[in-house]
Structures are given as C-alpha cells and as structure tokens.
Amino acid sequence: MSDVHGTVEPGFESVREVFAEIAADEARDGGAQLAVHHHGRLVVDLWGGDGVDGDSLLALYSSSKGALALVTALLVQEGVLDLDREVASWWPEFAAEGKEGITLRQLLSHRAGLIGADGGLSPEEASDDRLIAARLAGQRPFWEPGTGHGYHAVVFGSLVGEVVLRATGRTVHELFEERVRAPYDLDYYLGLPEELEPRFRTALPMRPTPAQQAFLAENPLKPDSLTAIAFNAHAEPPFDLVAYGNSRTVHAKSPLSGGGVGTARGLSRMYAAVAGELDGRAPLLAPGTLAEFARIHSRGTDLVTGSENAFGLGFVPLATRHPSLGPGAIGHSGAPGSQAFADPATGLAYSYARRRFGFMSGPGAPENDRLIPAVVEAAAGL
C-alpha cells in the first residue's frame, strides 16, 4: 500500500505521515482506511491499497457490536430497557438450563457464560440472529453466570438483539436504520442494500510470517476449549470467518455480532454522534447513560481468550488499551484489526479499517497503537 490518498485538515498532517508509514509497512498488502472526526467535523479522511478507496465498503466484523450497544443504550436511556431486569422476563424460553437469573447487564458485560452452542452453529445459523437465539435459549452456560467474563464473540449480538426484539417488537436493524444510520447519513450498514454490494471489497485472509506460522502450529486450538466454542471453531464444517465476512447472505442479514459493512468514514461518523454535537444535534447519549455504558463492569482474565481485558456494557472501554484516550472513551474493534471509538473528553471519533486480517488482531491491529496517539496529539495541538 505505497500510495496514500485523501485529505487531512491543518494540524493533522502528522496523522497522514503515520498512516503513510503504516501504508508502507503493516497494511501494505491489503489496504486500509482511516477517518477521524473532531467536534463533529471530518478532519482525517485517508485510504490506500490495491482496490480500496474512501468509498470502498469493508467487512467490519465486530464493529457491529458497537452499533448494537448504541441502540441498546438509547433504549435504556428512554426507560424501555432495564439493565438489572432478568433476560427471561422478556424472553421466557431463555430461562432453561439455569439461566433464569441472568440480567441484561450481565449479558452486555460478557458475564452470562453463554458463549456458544454445543456442537457448534451451522453456517445457516451463524448468519441468522434469530436462529442463534433459538439455539441458545435451551443452551447451558459454560460457567456460572456472573462469576467471570469471557468474550461472547459470535453470539453476543443475537442474545442482546433478541431482548430488544422481545421488548420493543422491533429489530435492532430497524431501530439502527431509523434512529442512527438514516438520520446521520452513515455509510455503515446493518443490512447492506443489494444495490451497494458492488462497492464491497472482499476481506482477505491473514498472511502470517514464518514466526507467526510457527507460533500457530505450536499452539493449536483445542476443539473443546472455551476459545473454540466462543468462536464457533468446534462446528462442522469449521467456521470460516473470512468467508462469513464476504457472504452476501451475511451482508443482507448482518448478524449483530459481526455482520456490519461500511467505510471507516461511516463508522467514525457514527461515533461522532456519540462524542459530541453532530450536524447541530446534541450527542445521542446523555452524560449519565454514556458514563454507565463506559464504566468498567468486567476486568481481568478473559475466560475465552485468556488475555487481560475489560468490558463496559456492549462497548469496550478503550482507555484500558490506549492510555492516551479519556476514561470515557468507548468503541469496539473488528476481527481484521479494525478499531473505532468515541472519546467525548476530546470530541474525537476515530475509525481505522483494514481489509486483510492481521495476526491475532481481533482487539485491534498494532498500527492503532501508533495512529491513535498521533490523532490525540494533533487534536490537542489545535
């Protein structure tokens, strides 16, 4: 990815320089986009890579969990949902196998223990939130709910989405379209219209270095592990995450755990509506709601990934990973290494999207560790 295109506003030239360095290094063989809003204004709009431009639609995977969290937060803010109410009070079938006490708060903070299904999810199930929800209603938790946290990678959106549907009679997709995407004209979709499919650029598989390949060979994933279950790697046929992100069926249905499609520009604009005023409108979330959803609810060793991490409610509190951000910064990453967030303290909204999967880059590819401080420093210098 030798050529960098797009624009930056005065004061953000250093961000372009860092992006250009990355373009010649980590993301050179797949292409990437970077968009940053500052106090509602698009100040960085960059892209590069073979076949990728600023309007290319990319599979942004778990970034959809952030869109889901935003819709859920709006419903909590309006009193439609109660965080401490039992999930089964909306969804009676969910009470099976000792799950009657699980609350929406526990679900949103990845503490429910309901990370997957025995035997795995079929490709048809994995692409349909309602089918996943039906399977999980009768599923036993994989640890005692509330006693620990673990990333509900493939099923999180289906579980929370079913609660929203039972409580409102509307899908998250419908609510997101009506209340967020359409009003703010976001180039990010939960349910990609077929006429936009030609703009999509396929996700590309990881190209591990010899050292990375050796690490993977020496540390095979055990099919009965919590990691395998959470990422549906124990399914038959094996779950193909790249093919999932490239599927037209997935684009159309947009499973809420990872089916959203869009541009970095579109996702940054979504978070700009959280970070502060956008288009003359007040922030989508009131300060109290934002603080509650940003507050760390789970911190420590993740029972699924084995790594140290933290979860808010649906969102990930980004300051735990990127200390240059304010404590109220919230967002979500995507499997290829994408990252997006809102930082209300600085008025920043950020989205980095890459086409090719990075090595173990689900929490965000390493280049975010260089880009984010450059963006924060540039904004602070204005």
Side-chain angles (χ1 to χ4, degrees), residues 106-334:
Q106 290 173 326
L107 210 59
L108 286 166
S109 55
H110 295 264
R111 298 181 64 83
L114 198 61
I115 55 173
D118 292 328
L121 300 163
S122 69
E124 180 187 13
E125 288 172 323
S127 65
D128 190 314
D129 283 320
R130 297 304 307 281
L131 293 179
I132 294 175
R135 278 287 304 276
L136 295 186
Q139 173 67 44
R140 61 178 176 83
F142 289 87
W143 64 81
E144 184 180 348
T147 61
H149 73 271
Y151 186 43
H152 290 48
V154 176
V155 303
F156 176 85
S158 305
L159 294 169
V160 179
E162 188 71 15
V163 172
V164 170
L165 178 61
R166 299 292 182 112
T168 68
R170 311 290 304 285
T171 67
V172 169
H173 304 73
E174 291 169 334
L175 294 169
F176 179 76
E177 176 66 23
E178 293 176 11
R179 303 195 57 180
V180 185
R181 200 213 65 77
Y184 290 96
D185 193 24
L186 305 183
D187 204 17
Y188 177 76
Y189 304 88
L190 296 181
L192 182 68
E194 189 169 5
E195 61 268 23
L196 298 184
E197 192 70 31
R199 289 174 52 199
F200 179 74
R201 299 294 177 263
T202 54
L204 301 172
M206 178 178 61
R207 285 181 175 170
T209 65
Q212 291 168 348
Q213 188 62 56
F215 176 87
L216 294 172
E218 293 167 5
N219 297 273
L221 189 61
K222 298 178 181 179
D224 60 346
S225 66
L226 293 182
T227 306
I229 294 166
F231 287 90
N232 204 38
H234 64 317
E236 187 58 46
F239 188 54
D240 186 334
L241 194 56
V242 175
Y244 170 91
N246 290 334
S247 164
R248 172 57 200 162
T249 298
V250 169
H251 297 171
K253 294 185 176 181
S254 287
L256 294 169
S257 290
V261 173
T263 62
R265 192 186 296 140
L267 203 54
S268 177
R269 188 167 166 80
M270 183 189 86
Y271 279 110
V274 177
E277 289 189 4
L278 181 63
D279 298 342
R281 300 171 180 171
L284 279 170
L285 299 182
T289 306
L290 183 60
E292 184 61 18
F293 273 72
R295 181 171 66 84
I296 294 174
H297 282 66
S298 302
R299 189 170 195 166
T301 302
D302 188 300
L303 297 174
V304 166
T305 66
S307 61
E308 296 297 306
N309 62 12
F311 289 107
L313 295 178
F315 298 109
V316 174
L318 267 296
T320 60
R321 181 176 174 86
H322 300 286
S324 62
L325 298 178
I330 55 172
H332 214 289
S333 60

Side-chain angles (χ1 to χ4, degrees), residues 24-42:
D25 191 6
E26 287 97 336
R28 64 186 178 277
D29 64 346
Q33 302 168 334
L34 175 67
V36 178
H37 284 77
H38 187 226
H39 296 303
R41 191 176 72 255
L42 182 64

Side-chain angles (χ1 to χ4, degrees), residues 92-104:
E93 302 94 319
F94 185 82
E97 297 289 339
K99 302 193 300 297
E100 65 277 356
I102 294 175
T103 64
L104 178 58

Side-chain angles (χ1 to χ4, degrees), residues 361-375:
S361 59
E367 52 261 42
N368 288 289
D369 296 336
R370 299 163 61 189
L371 287 166
I372 292 172
V375 167

